[in-house]
Amino acid sequence: MIFTIQNALVPVESGYAVVDVRIEDHSIAAIAPNLEPAGTLINGNNKLLLPGFINAHTHSSELWQRGIIPPYPLELWLAELYDFTPLNPEQIYLSALATAVETLLSGGTCIVDHLVLIPGQEEETIAAAVRGYREIGIRAFVGPLIQDASLTASIPSGGKSRDHQPYIRTTEDTLALMERVIDRFHCPEEGIHIMLAPTGMQLCSDALFEGCIALSDRYQLCCHTHLLETRAQQLLAQEKYGYSAVQHLKHLGFLTPRTSLAHCVWLDDADVAILAETRSTVVHNPLSNLRLGSGIAPILKYRQAGVNVTFGCDGASSNDGQDLLEVIKVGTLLHNVTDIDYRHWITPRQAIEMASLGGATGLNLADQIGSLTVGKRADLVLYDLTNLSLLPRTDPVGLLVTGRPTGVVAQVWVNGQTLVSEGTVQTIDVNQLRQELFDRSTWQSNRQSKMVPQVEAHYRAVMQLPND
């Protein structure tokens, strides 16, 4: 497999350059002006070539509840989500495909799916998602969302004695499940990686974290978890440990350069220093943090401390979309109001580096993807600079990050394979996918969750909200 992208615009330190890029054997073989044409020729005229972005945190199966969950904080939102979780693997397969399509068409070439498991059909759930990602060809890190405590345990007790239902699986059974999953599905050479992904300290015992660490070390796998997404989780950590959740995860040995941490909204300065010291990655999910009222993660502080930061869409019912360009825009501009010193603000070029190389770093793949570098894998995206939403001609990266680009992705390659051409996904029938999603769903509103009323009064009391 050899092809040459000709006359593409690429960012360089002094501005932009027009270059040719030759791809051989799935990798970037040469970057220079006027290369000798080789293989299939791709017209890069008036197109911007960038490394693919990483959607570094999402939950694909949430697609089935997009747009319907009321404006709740995370703890109540989860109660409603759990009441209506998809009940069959075919839904998981379709939502994985849809999540991948939206990611590809907004500049993403890699996805981290913190995958919600159907009780009693855990391996079937993972098989369905992996099937979808293999068919479409996107690079995927699948982190089965595992826990060993029931949902009510995620809300602080507020000093009151509370009983929680035992979780459906023991810690030992969950770790045994993960061993089987690793053996069956982990296949990096085919672009499918399994991660150890406990849901978070609010629903996981130390024993579960320690078991994940052991499996990560044994198989050299990445780890992923939610961390201090909400004020309630910060309070719960103090109840459970008497000190910060970040300090506790460091004590357990969970924080390493192979670990990525979603959200990280409620961290203090000592926590930030720990993340920098352990070289852990923060995944910024600005839209879900706003949607759920979780807060604004202090991303500028993290960057100034040397912490690696990247972007995630989060699930499609806490963000209600999977548009990476939208996430990058909001996650860039949001912080202009958090620091009066504009020299600390994120520039468009810094934003695309965070979304590409930052994401690759968090997945221990910075030597393989994340930049336009000879020798790296050809995970690349061409953007059409003649598209109306990228005109008139000014700064291409500025237009892409701070504008409102729509339908601008022209071509996408993952591992050198063409997944999108002329703005159309080539590896699956998107029209058929649309019809399947339409046929398997109904217009609805005002559905009634059984679990929300069970936890709402206690949540409001703990968070010192008035109970009418």
Side-chain angles (χ1 to χ4, degrees), residues 152-183:
T152 54
S154 68
I155 301 176
S157 70
K160 297 179 180 178
S161 177
R162 302 177 68 218
D163 294 323
H164 307 291
Q165 291 291 324
Y167 191 60
I168 57 173
R169 280 189 312 275
T170 66
T171 305
E172 294 74 18
D173 287 345
T174 296
L175 293 171
L177 167 67
M178 286 309 305
E179 287 220 60
R180 295 195 302 274
V181 167
I182 293 164
D183 181 65

Side-chain angles (χ1 to χ4, degrees), residues 161-415:
S161 177
R162 302 177 68 218
D163 294 323
H164 307 291
Q165 291 291 324
Y167 191 60
I168 57 173
R169 280 189 312 275
T170 66
T171 305
E172 294 74 18
D173 287 345
T174 296
L175 293 171
L177 167 67
M178 286 309 305
E179 287 220 60
R180 295 195 302 274
V181 167
I182 293 164
D183 181 65
R184 181 177 173 188
F185 298 109
H186 185 60
C187 196
E189 61 273 16
E190 295 181 10
I192 302 294
H193 302 249
I194 295 298
M195 310 176 82
L196 282 309
T199 184
M201 51 70 53
Q202 68 277 12
L203 288 169
C204 298
S205 67
D206 287 356
L208 185 57
F209 273 109
E210 288 166 345
C212 288
I213 294 164
L215 289 172
S216 170
D217 290 343
R218 186 182 313 161
Y219 297 104
Q220 292 299 291
L221 304 181
C222 291
C223 290
H224 186 69
T225 193
H226 299 95
L227 179 60
L228 295 178
E229 182 175 355
T230 67
R231 172 66 173 150
Q233 290 176 10
Q234 184 188 49
L235 295 173
L236 180 65
Q238 290 296 322
E239 284 188 0
K240 288 181 70 170
Y241 314 128
Y243 55 92
S244 161
V246 179
Q247 295 177 53
H248 192 69
L249 290 183
K250 179 190 176 186
H251 171 73
L252 294 177
F254 190 77
L255 302 181
T256 77
R258 295 202 308 266
T259 300
S260 56
L261 307 160
H263 302 291
C264 297
V265 177
W266 292 89
L267 276 62
D268 62 24
D269 290 347
D271 295 333
V272 176
I274 290 172
L275 296 189
E277 173 195 342
T278 58
R279 293 164 53 211
S280 303
T281 291
V282 169
V283 183
H284 186 28
N285 301 272
L287 287 173
S288 64
N289 292 343
L290 293 172
R291 162 82 152 89
L292 302 174
S294 300
I296 299 176
I299 297 303
L300 300 184
K301 182 184 292 186
Y302 297 156
R303 285 174 48 80
Q304 291 166 45
V307 176
N308 183 52
V309 180
T310 190
F311 296 103
C313 287
D314 208 354
S317 62
S318 62
N319 169 344
D320 302 276
Q322 293 292 293
D323 188 327
L324 266 171
L325 288 170
E326 180 182 43
V327 167
I328 293 166
K329 175 176 180 173
V330 174
T332 298
L333 301 183
L334 180 64
H335 304 284
N336 294 2
V337 300
T338 66
D339 188 335
I340 195 171
D341 191 343
Y342 52 87
R343 293 183 178 179
H344 297 156
W345 297 353
I346 300 169
T347 69
R349 290 201 177 204
Q350 289 170 339
I352 63 168
E353 184 173 15
M354 291 165 64
S356 52
L357 188 58
T361 299
L363 298 174
N364 202 33
L365 288 182
D367 62 335
Q368 297 182 45
I369 60 174
S371 64
L372 296 176
T373 304
V374 171
K376 288 196 175 185
R377 294 288 180 167
D379 287 18
L380 305 171
V381 180
L382 265 181
Y383 297 90
D384 180 7
L385 296 176
T386 69
N387 184 285
L388 181 61
S389 60
L390 295 179
L391 291 172
R393 289 187 288 173
T394 57
D395 177 5
V397 171
L399 289 165
L400 193 69
V401 172
T402 61
R404 184 62 180 96
T406 55
V408 296
V409 170
Q411 299 201 220
V412 179
W413 298 268
V414 172
N415 206 32

